[in-house]
Amino acid sequence: MKRLEALLQQLCPDGVIYKRLGDIATITRGGNFQKKDYRENGFPCIHYGQIYTKFNLFVTEPISHISDEKAAQQKKAKPGDIIMAVTSENIEDVCKCIAWLGNREIAVSGHAAIIHHRLNPKFLAYFLSSSLFYKQKLSMAQGTKVIEVSPEKLKNILLPVPPLEIQQEIVRILDHFTELTAELTAELTARKEQYIYYRNRLLAPTSQSTWMTLGDIGKVAMCKRIMKAETSPSGDVPFYKIGTFGKEPDAYISKAKYEEYRSKYSFPKKGDILISAAGTIGRTVIYDGEPAYYQDSNIVWVENDESIVLNRYLYYYYQLQPWSVSTGGTIARLYNDNISKARISVPPLPEQRRIVSILDRFDALCNDLTSGLPAEIAARQKQYEYYRDKLLTFKERV
């Protein structure tokens, strides 16, 4: 970063000019094509939803195309333009953007803005993903269920405009941080594929295994139904619904109600594997023993005997989704009968412990947020964000 400091001293000894985005760029809305207009080949296009789900900050190749006839009616981004999604379901995602670095024009859908500018495209993309931009975005966003920032409001974004040589040096530094994170992410992806391969091999039946149904292992249980009137937005004991299962709770029950129901009805033991029976079916959470209550029929568990099948062995076997899912009606569900009839291969306990020990190490490496690759990626990401915001903060020239 000594080179950057030298450039700033040489080119901007009195500070950096700040300008409105509207003074250095033209901002237009995208066109009107939809996903149904996609073709296997044709004119390249970017749908605003892909900015959230498919792309990183810089894009050189499209993943979708529309016909040349449809493209003729669309708004297009030129190489170097910024494409920004200007509607979202939440404030965090709205205004997520990409820099289009392909070698030809690309059609842009509605709910997106095309920013044609005179800056280094990576420099501008880094700024528009920074907390410096986020703070300004907060005051411009409108809506509740759908959050929007209009192109007209985007014109008022204030940003630093250092000389091009300084922009390029900042991009070089931030690209290095990005590459380090990308390398770790690629390694994590490879490790997860390796984990799946070994998990499937280790859980495959052998001559030592016995086929059992989950109903043979134990009864499918659930908490007694809690009515909405018995919950509140705050309280003593978290109540997990299917939408908050494995996440932060948004409802609570009283300590008295929790103790009453726990003493009378089924309740998970520490280490039991809770299963989602609706929504993302088959998702699992290991019950940690802390006071909590779970939505009946949507979140269930098998009351297994660990002298037959270990909890952790079930946890890994559940990832194979051994049950069939009922799809009658409008919502797919995992009913107790589906779970009870699910067949699993059960080796002797010493072999279960060996399998669990191996998969625990893989699981920690791939998923543990306090150690392993996820922790290292999180640390790298924080480091990148710190330096990105620091590098994009300048003394303003007056």
Side-chain angles (χ1 to χ4, degrees):
M1 295 189 188
K2 290 183 178 179
R3 171 171 164 73
L4 179 60
E5 292 173 0
L7 285 172
L8 286 168
Q9 185 60 38
Q10 176 189 348
L11 301 175
C12 309
D14 300 322
V16 168
I17 295 174
Y18 278 67
K19 293 185 177 181
R20 291 171 62 254
L21 184 59
D23 294 334
I24 58 170
T26 57
I27 307 173
T28 56
R29 287 188 178 273
N32 59 4
F33 70 84
Q34 300 175 30
K35 293 179 182 179
K36 66 181 181 180
D37 297 315
Y38 288 169
R39 300 290 183 271
E40 187 172 343
N41 297 296
F43 197 92
C45 67
I46 287 181
H47 187 272
Y48 85 99
Q50 294 172 337
I51 298 174
Y52 296 125
T53 60
K54 302 294 185 182
F55 295 128
N56 293 320
L57 200 53
F58 311 123
V59 179
T60 58
E61 296 291 338
I63 59 174
S64 302
H65 299 80
I66 54 177
S67 68
D68 289 340
E69 293 76 15
K70 191 71 176 178
Q73 307 167 19
Q74 304 303 315
K75 301 288 183 64
K76 301 176 183 70
K78 299 178 183 297
D81 285 353
I82 301 296
I83 304 171
M84 177 182 286
V86 292
T87 63
S88 173
E89 294 179 353
N90 59 71
I91 190 67
E92 287 75 22
D93 286 341
V94 73
C95 292
K96 189 175 188 295
C97 70
I98 62 168
W100 170 239
L101 303 180
N103 56 14
R104 61 176 295 188
E105 287 187 332
I106 189 165
V108 178
S109 78
H111 299 295
I114 302 168
I115 304 175
H116 183 65
H117 57 93
R118 302 191 298 271
L119 303 178
N120 181 300
K122 283 191 168 185
F123 175 84
L124 182 53
Y126 277 129
F127 177 82
L128 293 174
S129 66
S130 71
S131 65
L132 309 173
F133 168 71
Y134 182 87
K135 292 173 184 176
Q136 296 187 63
K137 174 183 75 173
L138 291 177
S139 64
M140 300 180 176
Q142 294 180 314
T144 52
K145 291 185 177 180
V146 177
I147 310 298
E148 180 176 11
V149 176
S150 70
E152 196 62 32
K153 287 184 177 294
L154 285 172
K155 292 179 181 179
N156 293 317
I157 293 295
L158 195 64
L159 72 159
V161 185
L164 186 59
E165 195 172 354
I166 290 175
Q167 295 178 39
Q168 292 169 338
E169 179 61 15
I170 290 172
V171 165
R172 185 191 67 79
I173 296 170
L174 292 178
D175 278 354
H176 177 66
F177 279 110
T178 303
E179 287 165 10
L180 290 175
T181 302
E183 289 172 4
L184 287 171
T185 302
E187 184 179 351
L188 178 59
T189 300
R191 295 283 187 168
K192 285 184 175 180
E193 291 174 354
Q194 186 183 38
Y195 161 74
I196 291 171
Y197 170 78
Y198 281 107
R199 180 200 65 195
N200 294 351
R201 286 198 61 180
L202 288 166
L203 295 177
T206 68
S207 58
Q208 296 179 299
S209 304
T210 302
W211 282 101
M212 303 178 69
T213 67
L214 290 175
D216 293 332
I217 292 168
K219 175 188 173 184
V220 179
M222 66 187 74
C223 292
K224 179 177 170 55
R225 175 166 293 184
I226 286 282
M227 307 306 291
K228 186 175 181 180
E230 297 176 276
T231 69
S232 62
S234 61
D236 304 316
V237 178
F239 171 58
Y240 291 97
K241 297 168 287 188
I242 196 63
T244 55
F245 182 53
K247 304 175 185 177
E248 292 297 318
D250 62 5
Y252 296 81
I253 64 173
S254 68
K255 184 74 170 178
K257 183 67 67 177
Y258 167 77
E259 295 292 354
E260 176 193 347
Y261 280 13
R262 185 175 183 183
S263 65
K264 293 181 180 179
Y265 306 106
S266 294
F267 204 83
K269 305 184 302 297
K270 183 176 181 179
D272 279 347
I273 312 302
L274 302 166
I275 310 165
S276 62
T280 305
I281 292 172
R283 191 157 53 89
T284 55
V285 168
I286 301 172
Y287 179 55
D288 61 7
E290 293 296 316
Y293 209 82
Y294 298 90
Q295 189 176 30
D296 67 291
S297 78
N298 283 338
I299 302 169
V300 301
W301 66 93
V302 174
E303 294 182 327
N304 59 294
D305 183 347
E306 284 208 280
S307 67
I308 301 173
V309 185
L310 300 175
N311 283 327
R312 293 290 294 181
Y313 183 82
L314 285 179
Y315 170 74
Y316 290 117
Y317 210 100
Y318 288 165
Q319 293 174 13
L320 301 183
Q321 301 282 309
W323 38 67
S324 61
V325 176
S326 296
T327 55
T330 57
I331 301 175
R333 287 199 61 87
L334 181 59
Y335 290 102
N336 291 1
D337 192 52
N338 302 124
I339 298 173
S340 295
K341 290 179 179 178
R343 297 174 72 241
I344 70 170
S345 172
V346 181
L349 280 174
E351 179 63 6
Q352 289 184 46
R353 294 189 186 98
R354 186 185 76 86
I355 291 170
V356 166
S357 176
I358 295 170
L359 293 179
D360 276 351
R361 290 196 292 271
F362 270 113
D363 189 59
L365 181 64
C366 295
N367 300 307
D368 195 333
L369 297 179
T370 61
S371 64
L373 288 170
E376 191 170 352
I377 290 171
R380 291 283 188 185
Q381 182 66 21
K382 285 184 178 179
Q383 185 184 43
Y384 155 74
E385 291 172 359
Y386 170 79
Y387 281 107
R388 178 198 61 201
D389 291 354
K390 186 177 178 67
L391 289 168
L392 293 170
T393 302
F394 303 91
K395 172 187 174 183
E396 185 175 1
R397 192 172 85 189
V398 294

